[in-house]
Amino acid sequence: MPTNNTPFLRMFLIFLGLLWFDSFTGLEAATGKLASVPGLYVFGDSLVDAGNNNYLAISISKANYPHNGVDFPNKKATGRFCNGKNAADAIAEKFGLPLPPPYLSLKGPFKEEKKKSAAMTGVNFASGGAGIFNSSDHKLGQAIPLSHQVNHWLSIHQELTSQLGPAEAQNHLSKSLFAVVIGSNDLFDYFGSFKLRQKTNPQQYTQSMANELKKQLKRIHDTGARRFLVIGVAEIGCIPGKRAKNSTVHECDEEANTWCSLYNEALVKMLQQLKQELQNSMTYSYFDNFKSLHDIISNPARYGFTDVTSACCGNGKLNADIPCLPIAKYCSDRTKYLFWDRYGHPTEAAARTLVDLMLSDDSQYSSPLTLAQLISL
């Protein structure tokens, strides 16, 4: 008597169909599984610095002391301006990559193998205090401005090309992610300089920031980079240090926030123009850090926070009278605080929340693509 193979055949065909369906580009974002990224290369300021400033001999813009790192593995103060891991680390972990090491940690004798390995999976060039412009911080040896960070990238690009060969290196770079988180310090410079404000109005200054950033993005693109994550400037006027100066009500500094909005508008237009100029050979996700932070501050409970005005680490009004120094006090539950210190650096919990928003299917914060969509192309 012949056996009935229909159930087996049906299951086999379903299995084949699933394999075929899984082969479609972009499925990862739809199913919740992230596409793979071979390397993550990070440019920016203290929001994503992994410790480059530790290697600047005379810089005081460092975070390699307690209470920074209190929640980092082994409670190590690595130079991150955070209680634990920052947004660049969170992005790396989302894609299963090692944390990108600071570029300056790869220089010197006996570092060749470490540099070769990092060149493949990602390097962090960011520097606390850095700006788009070569500011006074650079002249005084306090930070590494964006143009110099790109110079450092050229060294890693050379290493990568020598390892893989030009064709394979190009393939690797076209699939990698280049994250750029910078602009806040240029605005702080503008706020604090009467001379700068006399010389140029806010519209002119923020447009010049966008123009200079465009030059540096083109330099990175020229080496083979194709996927960019560009993060806008947040509500600087709402950081604890700004609120603490605002009489007894501790409201946001709305003038500072207006200047941030001006820059973000110039940035969005610049990115659109750059993509056209490069004949669509670059793709990008712009993340609206201003709107995301505004929404968290407006509805903290939705995101799991209870304090979105004070610094976790500091002292005095809003814990914002002093930086997060060893003599400062720090909060017991860092997961409930949005800000780590008076300068508005996010706590690890806040950084992870922001990265989740970047990867969310909700496109209200990202344009023209979400980060998940960008890396699925």
Side-chain angles (χ1 to χ4, degrees):
M1 183 175 176
T3 57
N4 186 354
N5 289 324
T6 303
F8 171 79
L9 181 62
R10 185 182 295 123
M11 291 301 296
F12 181 68
L13 290 173
I14 290 171
F15 174 68
L16 284 179
L18 286 172
L19 286 179
W20 175 75
F21 181 64
D22 193 44
S23 68
F24 280 111
T25 302
L27 176 67
E28 298 88 344
T31 61
K33 175 188 170 187
L34 291 175
S36 63
V37 172
L40 171 64
Y41 304 93
V42 182
F43 304 81
D45 53 30
S46 55
L47 292 171
V48 286
D49 185 357
N52 275 305
N53 281 15
N54 297 351
Y55 300 87
L56 300 181
I58 61 173
S59 176
I60 59 170
S61 299
K62 294 179 181 177
N64 57 347
Y65 51 81
H67 303 290
N68 297 299
V70 65
D71 296 310
F72 199 82
N74 300 318
K75 297 186 181 294
K76 185 177 181 182
T78 59
R80 291 167 172 82
F81 294 77
C82 186
N83 61 300
K85 294 173 183 174
N86 62 30
D89 302 320
I91 292 171
E93 289 183 339
K94 288 288 187 181
F95 296 121
L97 292 168
L99 305 188
Y103 169 77
L104 293 182
S105 73
L106 306 175
K107 291 175 66 69
F110 313 114
K111 301 287 183 74
E112 290 83 0
E113 290 306 313
K114 188 178 178 184
K115 184 177 180 181
K116 285 180 182 179
S117 175
M120 295 291 294
T121 58
V123 178
N124 190 317
F125 305 94
S127 170
I132 297 169
F133 297 129
N134 296 356
S135 67
S136 58
D137 276 348
H138 164 59
K139 293 171 187 171
L140 297 173
Q142 299 297 303
I144 309 163
L146 183 59
S147 61
H148 289 238
Q149 292 181 32
V150 177
N151 292 345
H152 292 163
W153 157 244
L154 298 179
S155 169
I156 292 297
H157 176 261
Q158 186 177 21
E159 174 65 45
L160 198 63
T161 304
S162 68
Q163 283 190 61
L164 299 177
E168 187 55 38
Q170 176 57 51
N171 182 51
H172 176 90
L173 293 175
S174 69
K175 296 176 181 177
S176 294
L177 180 64
F178 292 78
V180 182
V181 187
I182 203 160
S184 298
N185 291 311
D186 300 282
L187 290 170
F188 281 129
D189 286 346
Y190 188 74
F191 303 157
S193 172
F194 178 71
K195 186 177 178 181
L196 258 182
R197 284 183 280 125
Q198 270 196 322
K199 186 178 176 182
T200 178
N201 65 42
Q203 288 87 350
Q204 292 168 333
Y205 184 77
T206 52
Q207 184 59 55
S208 65
M209 285 172 61
N211 293 343
E212 180 58 30
L213 178 58
K214 183 180 181 181
K215 292 178 189 175
Q216 301 308 324
L217 292 178
K218 286 180 80 171
R219 290 179 66 202
I220 300 170
H221 174 272
D222 288 347
T223 65
R226 294 296 178 264
R227 294 173 174 175
F228 291 83
L229 168 64
V230 181
I231 298 178
V233 170
E235 283 188 314
I236 287 176
C238 295
I239 66 175
K242 285 285 185 185
R243 282 184 185 266
K245 292 178 182 177
N246 202 351
S247 68
T248 56
V249 292
H250 303 318
E251 292 179 346
C252 298
D253 181 338
E254 293 305 335
E255 184 181 19
N257 284 343
T258 298
W259 294 344
C260 295
S261 293
L262 281 175
Y263 169 66
N264 287 333
E265 289 168 11
L267 175 59
V268 168
K269 290 177 184 175
M270 178 275 285
L271 290 170
Q272 293 168 347
Q273 292 166 357
L274 180 59
K275 184 175 181 180
Q276 288 181 342
E277 288 176 20
L278 296 174
Q279 300 178 328
N280 294 322
S281 62
M282 75 168 276
T283 54
Y284 69 91
S285 174
Y286 165 76
F287 181 72
D288 191 341
N289 209 16
F290 189 99
K291 178 173 170 50
S292 62
L293 198 72
H294 176 82
D295 288 355
I296 292 170
I297 291 172
S298 300
N299 189 2
R302 179 182 178 187
Y303 302 91
F305 298 107
T306 57
D307 193 319
V308 293
T309 57
S310 308
C312 168
C313 183
N315 217 329
K317 288 184 297 184
L318 300 183
N319 235 17
D321 284 352
I322 64 170
C324 185
L325 300 169
I327 61 169
K329 299 182 298 183
Y330 65 94
C331 59
S332 58
D333 189 352
R334 274 79 68 190
T335 65
K336 299 301 182 184
Y337 277 70
L338 176 61
F339 297 114
W340 170 238
D341 58 18
R342 72 188 304 270
Y343 303 111
H345 297 115
T347 58
E348 178 176 333
R352 291 190 183 281
T353 297
L354 292 168
V355 171
D356 285 342
L357 291 175
M358 293 176 203
L359 289 163
S360 168
D361 290 335
D362 185 350
S363 60
Q364 65 172 308
Y365 302 115
S366 300
S367 62
L369 302 166
T370 67
L371 178 54
Q373 292 168 337
L374 174 69
I375 55 88
S376 297
L377 294 175

